Short mmCIF file of all heavy atoms in Angstrom, two decimals:
data_model
loop_
_atom_site.label_atom_id
_atom_site.label_comp_id
_atom_site.label_asym_id
_atom_site.label_seq_id
_atom_site.Cartn_x
_atom_site.Cartn_y
_atom_site.Cartn_z
N ASP A 332 35.17 -36.12 -225.80
CA ASP A 332 34.07 -35.84 -226.71
C ASP A 332 32.93 -35.12 -225.98
O ASP A 332 32.34 -35.68 -225.05
CB ASP A 332 33.55 -37.14 -227.34
CG ASP A 332 32.51 -36.88 -228.39
OD1 ASP A 332 31.32 -36.76 -228.02
OD2 ASP A 332 32.89 -36.78 -229.58
N GLU A 356 37.89 -33.37 -219.38
CA GLU A 356 38.08 -33.62 -220.81
C GLU A 356 39.35 -34.37 -221.16
O GLU A 356 39.53 -34.76 -222.31
CB GLU A 356 38.10 -32.28 -221.56
CG GLU A 356 36.84 -31.48 -221.41
CD GLU A 356 36.94 -30.12 -222.07
OE1 GLU A 356 37.85 -29.91 -222.92
OE2 GLU A 356 36.12 -29.25 -221.75
N GLY A 358 43.04 -36.81 -219.71
CA GLY A 358 43.78 -37.54 -218.69
C GLY A 358 44.57 -36.61 -217.80
O GLY A 358 44.68 -36.85 -216.59
N GLN A 360 43.73 -33.59 -216.87
CA GLN A 360 42.81 -33.01 -215.89
C GLN A 360 42.48 -34.01 -214.79
O GLN A 360 42.39 -33.64 -213.62
CB GLN A 360 41.54 -32.52 -216.57
CG GLN A 360 41.75 -31.31 -217.45
CD GLN A 360 40.49 -30.91 -218.19
OE1 GLN A 360 39.62 -31.74 -218.48
NE2 GLN A 360 40.39 -29.63 -218.53
N LEU A 362 44.44 -36.47 -213.70
CA LEU A 362 45.62 -36.60 -212.84
C LEU A 362 45.77 -35.38 -211.94
O LEU A 362 46.16 -35.52 -210.77
CB LEU A 362 46.87 -36.81 -213.70
CG LEU A 362 46.87 -38.11 -214.51
CD1 LEU A 362 48.04 -38.13 -215.48
CD2 LEU A 362 46.90 -39.32 -213.58
N THR A 372 35.12 -42.49 -206.01
CA THR A 372 34.66 -43.86 -205.78
C THR A 372 34.90 -44.70 -207.02
O THR A 372 35.17 -45.89 -206.94
CB THR A 372 33.16 -43.86 -205.45
OG1 THR A 372 32.94 -42.98 -204.34
CG2 THR A 372 32.66 -45.24 -205.10
N MET A 380 41.63 -40.59 -226.64
CA MET A 380 41.77 -39.17 -226.33
C MET A 380 43.12 -38.69 -226.86
O MET A 380 44.08 -39.45 -226.86
CB MET A 380 41.69 -38.94 -224.82
CG MET A 380 40.35 -39.31 -224.22
SD MET A 380 40.21 -38.87 -222.46
CE MET A 380 41.44 -39.95 -221.73
N SER A 384 46.42 -40.78 -223.98
CA SER A 384 45.33 -41.72 -224.25
C SER A 384 44.75 -42.27 -222.96
O SER A 384 45.35 -42.13 -221.88
CB SER A 384 45.83 -42.88 -225.11
OG SER A 384 46.62 -43.77 -224.33
N ILE A 404 36.74 -47.94 -214.89
CA ILE A 404 35.91 -48.58 -215.88
C ILE A 404 36.19 -47.91 -217.22
O ILE A 404 36.04 -46.69 -217.35
CB ILE A 404 34.41 -48.44 -215.56
CG1 ILE A 404 34.11 -48.83 -214.10
CG2 ILE A 404 33.57 -49.20 -216.56
CD1 ILE A 404 34.56 -50.19 -213.68
N LEU A 406 35.11 -46.80 -220.62
CA LEU A 406 33.85 -46.52 -221.30
C LEU A 406 34.22 -45.88 -222.63
O LEU A 406 34.60 -44.71 -222.68
CB LEU A 406 32.98 -45.58 -220.45
CG LEU A 406 31.61 -45.25 -220.99
CD1 LEU A 406 30.74 -46.51 -221.13
CD2 LEU A 406 30.91 -44.23 -220.10
N GLU A 413 41.89 -56.35 -228.71
CA GLU A 413 43.22 -55.82 -228.37
C GLU A 413 43.12 -54.72 -227.31
O GLU A 413 43.91 -54.68 -226.36
CB GLU A 413 43.90 -55.28 -229.63
CG GLU A 413 45.26 -54.68 -229.40
CD GLU A 413 45.87 -54.14 -230.68
OE1 GLU A 413 45.68 -54.75 -231.76
OE2 GLU A 413 46.54 -53.10 -230.59
N ASP A 414 42.15 -53.83 -227.46
CA ASP A 414 41.95 -52.76 -226.46
C ASP A 414 41.53 -53.34 -225.12
O ASP A 414 42.00 -52.90 -224.07
CB ASP A 414 40.92 -51.74 -226.95
CG ASP A 414 41.46 -50.83 -228.04
OD1 ASP A 414 42.70 -50.70 -228.16
OD2 ASP A 414 40.64 -50.24 -228.77
N GLN A 422 45.14 -53.26 -215.47
CA GLN A 422 44.28 -53.40 -214.30
C GLN A 422 43.01 -52.55 -214.36
O GLN A 422 42.53 -52.07 -213.34
CB GLN A 422 45.05 -53.12 -213.02
CG GLN A 422 46.22 -54.04 -212.82
CD GLN A 422 47.08 -53.66 -211.63
OE1 GLN A 422 46.85 -52.64 -210.99
NE2 GLN A 422 48.06 -54.48 -211.35
N THR A 428 31.59 -50.93 -223.79
CA THR A 428 31.50 -50.23 -225.06
C THR A 428 30.30 -49.29 -224.99
O THR A 428 29.21 -49.69 -224.58
CB THR A 428 31.34 -51.22 -226.23
OG1 THR A 428 32.48 -52.09 -226.23
CG2 THR A 428 31.26 -50.50 -227.56
N SER A 434 19.28 -43.83 -224.23
CA SER A 434 18.48 -44.61 -223.29
C SER A 434 19.21 -45.86 -222.80
O SER A 434 18.93 -46.34 -221.70
CB SER A 434 17.14 -44.98 -223.91
OG SER A 434 17.34 -45.79 -225.05
N ALA A 435 20.13 -46.37 -223.58
CA ALA A 435 20.89 -47.56 -223.17
C ALA A 435 21.83 -47.27 -222.01
O ALA A 435 22.27 -48.20 -221.32
CB ALA A 435 21.66 -48.12 -224.35
N ASN A 449 27.58 -50.14 -204.95
CA ASN A 449 26.64 -50.58 -203.91
C ASN A 449 27.27 -50.56 -202.54
O ASN A 449 28.37 -50.35 -202.31
CB ASN A 449 26.08 -51.96 -204.21
CG ASN A 449 27.16 -53.00 -204.43
OD1 ASN A 449 28.32 -52.80 -204.09
ND2 ASN A 449 26.76 -54.11 -205.01
#
Side-chain angles (χ1 to χ4, degrees):
D332 186 274
E356 300 175 17
Q360 290 176 333
L362 296 172
T372 305
M380 296 186 295
S384 75
I404 311 305
L406 183 61
E413 179 181 324
D414 286 340
Q422 301 173 355
T428 301
S434 62
N449 55 16

